[in-house]
Amino acid sequence: MMYPIIICEDDSTQLAGIKKLISDYLLFHEKLFKIELAATAPDEVTTYLDTTQPKNGIYFLDIDLKADIDGIRLAQIIRQHDVQAKIIFVTTHDELAPLTLKKKVAAIDFIEKDQSLEDFRQEIFDALAYSKQLTDETLTVQKQNFSFTVGSQVYNLDKSEVVLVETSDVPHHLEVYTVDGVYDFYGKLSEIEEKHNFLFKISRSCLINPQNIHQVDFSTREIEFINGTKQKFSIGKSRKLKALLQKTL
C-alpha cells in the first residue's frame, strides 16, 4: 500500500526544507510513501481533497498559514474527507496543542520547528513511521470486520457473522447473508473479494465464509451453511474447497 503525503506550509523556504527531509526518508521507503502535494496555501489542499478523495493520507500542517483557513481548521476539513488521516502539526505554536483536542482533529504529533536540524529530522522520520504503523494496524482490524451501508445506516459486522455475499438481481447491488438475516447494499463483488481475504469465491457470483459451512456435498456440488442457506459451487473450485476445509478443520 502506498501512503500519500501532503504538506502545507506558507513559508516556501520551510516548505522546501520539510519536503527535503521527507524525501530523504523516502529514499529508503520509496515503495511505501509518496509526496502527493507540497502546498503553501490551504486552498491547494482543499482542492486536492475535493478532486482526489485520498485515503489514509499523512498530512504535515503548519498552524499559522497566513490565510483565512488556519492549520487547525484545515485539519478539520481533512478529517471530513479522509477519516483515517494521520495529521502532524509542524509549528512554532505548540501552545495551541490543547485547542486541537478541543476541535477534535486528533493530531498524532506536534513537531516544533525551533529545534536542531538533527532532532527535527528525527521527529519527521518518527512521525512517518508511526503513521504507517497506525494505518497498518487499522487496516488489519478492518479486514477482520465486514462493513457496508444501507441507506444512511452503516453496518459493521464481525467476520464470524458473515455467511456469504452474492450478486443481487438489482444491478450493481450485492446481498450479504449473515447469521441473523439478509441485507442488500451497493457494491462490487470483485472489490469485496479484494478487501476481505477471509472470504472464498465459489463461483462468479458468490463469496463464502468457510467458517460458517455446515456441510458440503461434493457429488452435487452444494454447500449448506449454519443458517440453512444453500449454494452451488463450480466444479473448478472442488479441489481448493476440499483443501480449504481440511485447513479450517
Side-chain angles (χ1 to χ4, degrees):
M1 176 179 178
M2 184 74 74
Y3 299 89
I5 297 173
I6 296 89
I7 313 164
C8 190
E9 162 62 64
D10 65 285
D11 186 306
S12 57
T13 300
Q14 293 183 4
L15 177 65
I18 295 170
K19 184 178 179 181
K20 173 63 168 59
L21 292 176
I22 294 175
S23 297
D24 290 345
Y25 185 84
L26 266 55
L27 290 175
F28 303 97
H29 304 83
E30 59 181 353
K31 293 183 179 180
L32 294 175
F33 303 92
K34 182 180 180 181
I35 299 175
E36 292 283 358
L37 179 67
T40 56
D43 59 354
E44 295 179 69
V45 179
T46 57
T47 298
Y48 169 81
L49 293 170
D50 289 333
T51 57
T52 309
Q53 296 298 317
K55 294 181 179 180
N56 299 302
I58 302 172
Y59 300 81
F60 289 86
L61 309 176
D62 188 10
I63 289 184
D64 185 5
L65 293 170
K66 306 295 190 299
D68 293 337
I69 299 175
D70 64 16
I72 296 176
R73 175 57 187 149
L74 180 58
Q76 290 178 307
I77 296 171
I78 289 169
R79 185 69 65 198
Q80 292 169 0
H81 286 77
D82 187 354
V83 178
Q84 298 296 337
K86 305 300 177 286
I87 296 170
I88 301 108
F89 287 112
V90 183
T91 181
T92 56
H93 298 282
D94 58 328
E95 75 278 2
L96 295 177
L99 182 59
T100 66
L101 294 175
K102 184 177 180 181
K103 296 295 184 179
K104 298 180 174 61
V105 298
I108 66 168
D109 206 351
F110 252 84
I111 299 177
E112 294 184 38
K113 294 178 181 178
D114 298 333
Q115 57 180 316
S116 70
L117 178 60
E118 186 58 37
D119 289 341
F120 187 64
R121 177 190 293 109
Q122 189 59 53
E123 289 201 34
I124 292 285
F125 288 6
D126 289 346
L128 285 167
Y130 184 52
S131 296
K132 177 186 179 301
Q133 177 187 336
L134 287 178
T135 301
D136 287 348
E137 290 174 353
T138 300
L139 292 175
T140 298
V141 171
Q142 288 177 343
K143 285 182 179 180
Q144 303 306 312
N145 296 326
F146 189 91
S147 299
F148 59 95
T149 303
V150 179
S152 60
Q153 183 70 46
V154 178
Y155 293 84
N156 187 33
L157 308 179
D158 186 84
K159 70 175 185 178
S160 63
E161 299 178 75
V162 179
V163 175
L164 63 90
V165 184
E166 67 175 352
T167 54
S168 170
D169 292 334
V170 180
H172 311 299
H173 278 241
L174 301 173
E175 290 182 341
V176 54
Y177 287 70
T178 74
V179 293
D180 297 319
V182 182
Y183 301 86
D184 182 280
F185 67 100
Y186 180 85
K188 294 182 180 179
L189 201 68
S190 58
E191 293 179 355
I192 297 297
E193 181 183 14
E194 182 178 356
K195 183 177 179 180
H196 300 288
N197 56 16
F198 71 88
L199 295 173
F200 175 71
K201 192 172 187 178
I202 61 168
S203 67
R204 295 178 62 183
S205 61
C206 185
L207 300 168
I208 68 166
N209 183 355
Q211 292 184 351
N212 287 327
I213 290 176
H214 175 59
Q215 64 179 18
V216 180
D217 189 332
F218 284 93
S219 63
T220 61
R221 301 203 311 276
E222 187 174 71
I223 304 172
E224 182 179 349
F225 298 90
I226 60 173
N227 65 344
T229 303
K230 295 181 180 181
Q231 281 284 336
K232 291 279 190 177
F233 59 91
S234 60
I235 191 169
K237 298 292 183 179
S238 296
R239 182 177 297 179
K240 287 186 178 180
L241 185 57
K242 285 181 180 179
L244 185 62
L245 288 174
Q246 290 175 352
K247 186 176 181 180
T248 303
L249 296 175

